[in-house]
Amino acid sequence: MILVCGGAGYIGSHAVKQLLDCNYKVLVIDNLSTGYKENIDSRALFYNVDIRDFKELDNIFKMHKIDAVLHFAANSIVSESVKDPYKYYENNVLGSLNLLKCMKNNNILKIVFSSTAAVYGNPKRVPIEETDETIPTNPYGETKLAIEKILKWFDNAYNIKYISLRYFNVAGADKSANIGEMHNPETHLIPLVIKTALGEREYMYIFGDDYNTFDGTCIRDYIHVTDLVDAHILALEKLLNNSESNIYNLGYGEGFSVKQIIERVSYVTNSNIKVKIEKRRDGDPDILIANPNKAINDLRFKPKYNDLDYIIKSAFNWHKKFI
Ligand code: UFG
């Protein structure tokens, strides 16, 4: 049985569905603080538990035969982490430490961990390789890097094997359009542009058009959530086959600017999007692009949806359901 922590969230719920489709038995825990119960596939077992609650977590570990853990449970809004670092250190670092303590006590020795490109901070070069410098520029990235370091020492001391996956910009939705991205408040670019296209917002605000890029707006590497989750399943299978611990970037190795995203959303949704230029958002690097070769070579990661229009269309099909 696979334990998915944070299985009611955007990425976690896609993982639950895809694991079930691959015939894994899935156990979900989530405190529903940012996730939604309706996101959880009905074929999975669900416990409304907070990973910071050691007793409850330990009970679950004792009640079920868990083979490995996929750990998505975290807060992940960069700006919020700057305003409230305590919340991020407590939920992300302390919560993960608690989960790892349960794993150690119950001899569960395999974990796939959700990390982030935010561990790199302002990269000195793109595309970014896993061995490049990690100097986070916000508490969110710091918490994820701290957990990566904890994982390294827990492997060394307790033989817990981990694969840490550093996500670039995750977007899109499952092809069923039954699950998708829904944050409250929404801060991410693609859902916000779609909401503007659907008339839920009057303007799309571009945070800065004076970056050092070809059109002045930030460039990011957008990866479809289904591909991202496929890579998790490959990582899980690698761990189940007794691989060593490792760290991988997950992106496509290709970047799009904020203006390009708005233009493609406008095209795909056939709508006119009104744009206003705002000042820069704190801590946004000019360009973040992954070098995905390590995942392609080691995990045999084969992206199926490396197509910006498809990413947008799948997200649009999901958002359309709520108007
Ligand atoms: N942006 C706008 N207007 C908006 C929202 C976003 O111009 O209304 C811009 C941002 O300034 C940025 C780009 O769109 O340049 C992408 O922004 P997102 O908020 O969608 O994503 P980020 O790149 O900031 O963050 C993502 C993840 C984080 C992770 C980070 C790693 O959401 O969890 O990548 O760098 F930490």
Side-chain angles (χ1 to χ4, degrees):
M1 179 166 264
I2 307 302
L3 172 64
V4 179
C5 300
Y10 166 44
I11 301 170
S13 61
H14 283 79
V16 171
K17 177 184 183 273
Q18 286 170 239
L19 283 164
L20 288 162
D21 289 347
C22 292
N23 294 320
Y24 285 99
K25 290 205 170 78
V26 178
L27 177 65
V28 173
I29 64 165
D30 199 298
N31 66 1
L32 302 182
S33 63
T34 56
Y36 301 88
K37 192 157 183 276
E38 309 77 69
N39 278 352
I40 306 170
D41 195 301
S42 57
R43 294 170 290 173
L45 259 177
F46 169 58
Y47 292 92
N48 184 343
V49 163
D50 192 305
I51 53 167
R52 289 164 295 184
D53 186 338
F54 180 77
K55 252 185 147 173
E56 290 265 3
L57 206 55
D58 198 52
N59 271 339
I60 294 171
F61 272 86
K62 298 228 163 8
M63 270 159 38
H64 299 277
K65 196 199 154 300
I66 294 167
D67 299 300
V69 177
L70 264 62
H71 177 26
F72 299 94
N75 292 112
S76 62
I77 302 175
V78 169
S79 55
E80 184 188 44
S81 79
V82 177
K83 289 198 193 84
D84 193 0
Y86 179 79
K87 176 175 177 180
Y88 278 69
Y89 277 90
E90 204 220 1
N91 195 23
N92 296 2
V93 181
L94 226 68
S96 298
L97 209 50
N98 215 24
L99 173 64
L100 288 164
K101 181 175 159 192
C102 265
M103 289 177 63
K104 173 167 97 63
N105 289 0
N106 292 284
N107 205 32
I108 312 302
L109 301 177
K110 297 170 197 311
I111 179 169
V112 179
F113 173 63
S114 302
S115 187
T116 171
V119 299
Y120 295 113
N122 277 305
K124 291 212 174 73
R125 60 163 186 179
V126 288
I128 304 170
E129 292 180 18
E130 290 82 351
T131 46
D132 287 355
E133 240 176 10
T134 46
I135 312 177
T137 52
N138 53 64
Y140 169 63
E142 290 284 7
T143 61
K144 291 288 182 175
L145 187 59
I147 302 160
E148 284 194 354
K149 290 185 177 167
I150 291 171
L151 287 167
K152 183 182 110 182
W153 292 112
F154 275 42
D155 178 5
N156 184 58
Y158 314 126
N159 202 30
I160 294 181
K161 299 295 173 198
Y162 67 92
I163 289 186
S164 181
L165 300 173
R166 293 177 175 166
Y167 309 167
F168 283 66
N169 289 58
V170 189
D174 184 66
K175 58 178 183 309
S176 67
N178 288 331
I179 43 177
E181 187 168 13
M182 187 157 48
H183 297 108
N184 191 12
E186 189 52 76
T187 60
H188 294 102
L189 181 66
I190 292 183
L192 286 174
V193 187
I194 289 174
K195 280 169 183 281
T196 317
L198 288 169
E200 282 179 48
R201 314 168 86 232
E202 194 178 358
Y203 292 103
M204 186 60 214
Y205 298 97
I206 296 181
F207 297 141
D209 66 349
D210 57 351
Y211 284 93
N212 187 19
T213 62
F214 75 95
D215 67 7
T217 65
C218 291
I219 293 178
R220 296 288 181 271
D221 183 339
Y222 294 88
I223 175 170
H224 194 280
V225 63
T226 304
D227 278 339
L228 182 100
V229 168
D230 278 348
H232 285 66
I233 296 176
L234 293 169
L236 169 70
E237 283 166 356
K238 201 165 166 63
L239 285 174
L240 293 173
N241 284 323
N242 298 320
S243 83
E244 287 304 311
S245 297
N246 223 324
I247 297 180
Y248 299 97
N249 286 337
L250 291 181
Y252 290 142
E254 210 180 322
F256 293 97
S257 74
V258 174
K259 281 186 180 164
Q260 283 177 313
I261 297 288
I262 296 173
E263 186 203 305
R264 290 322 292 172
V265 173
S266 172
Y267 172 80
V268 169
T269 64
N270 194 22
S271 40
N272 187 21
I273 298 169
K274 288 195 267 182
V275 165
K276 279 192 177 171
I277 307 295
E278 277 287 313
K279 64 177 178 20
R280 288 179 174 210
R281 200 171 65 173
D282 278 349
D284 276 341
D286 304 55
I287 308 182
L288 287 174
I289 298 175
N291 180 332
N293 288 341
K294 191 176 167 193
I296 291 169
N297 294 329
D298 280 24
L299 296 178
R300 304 265 171 253
F301 174 47
K302 286 193 197 74
K304 294 197 288 267
Y305 302 110
N306 184 358
D307 173 346
L308 182 59
D309 287 0
Y310 176 77
I311 292 176
I312 293 168
K313 182 113 195 72
S314 68
F316 182 61
N317 288 341
W318 156 253
H319 282 279
K320 254 191 337 203
K321 291 177 47 167
F322 301 96
I323 50 163

